[in-house]
Amino acid sequence: MHRITCNADLEEGMAALRLLHPHWTAIIDRTGVPPLRRRDGGFAGLAAIIVSQQLSVASARAVLARVESVLAPLTPERVLAATDDEMRLSGLSRPKQRTMRAVAAAIAGGELALETLETATPEQVHARMTAVSGIGPWTADIYLLFCLGHRDGFAAGDLAIQEAARVAFGLPARPRAIELEALAEGWRPWRGVAARLLWAYYAALKSREGINA
């Protein structure tokens, strides 16, 4: 697997994207080098992504701190052994409690071997992860991008990326995931850099509008 591990990797991808379309030059001139945003993988990394779904950064950090405190050490075995009261005290919503338990069971039972994802293609990562109840495409994408650091990961279903693409590429409407996926085919094998640039571009747009991004 080709990984994004440092700013030099980002810069290599940015140079490649510049050659594909003049819109990328305008995006890069606006954003500069985007944040690397790498994070630890494994069960702890996946758990953090599950916690962060549909939450602000601050809220996600607060809930994750409670989860790590109540369910210490945060392992599949500890989650499976947790009582209903402990899961409630962790601050997780009921759907996220179910997802966390489903993921823990899949890992403990060998159905989801996170270590095998290290050498898998984006399509294989998606298939293996979304086979687990509660893990959707967005969660698989974020794990692929930031825990695995895959060079060609992408997150076509992310609303911020969709909106950034709409503005940057002059699209008539915010693209649906399937439409953005088709557009991003032309950005291979650097879709992981493209995703980071579009997130950075979205943040720049929000900042211009006076909104915290």
Side-chain angles (χ1 to χ4, degrees), residues 181-198:
E181 193 76 52
L183 178 63
E185 279 296 312
W187 306 337
R188 289 181 184 270
W190 290 107
R191 295 186 306 166
V193 174
R196 287 169 170 82
L197 286 168
L198 289 172

Side-chain angles (χ1 to χ4, degrees), residues 6-30:
C6 60
N7 280 357
D9 296 330
L10 292 174
E11 290 166 356
E12 182 182 354
M14 290 161 65
L17 290 170
R18 280 184 186 272
L19 297 177
L20 294 179
H21 200 289
H23 283 108
W24 280 114
T25 294
I27 292 168
I28 292 167
D29 288 347
R30 178 74 179 272

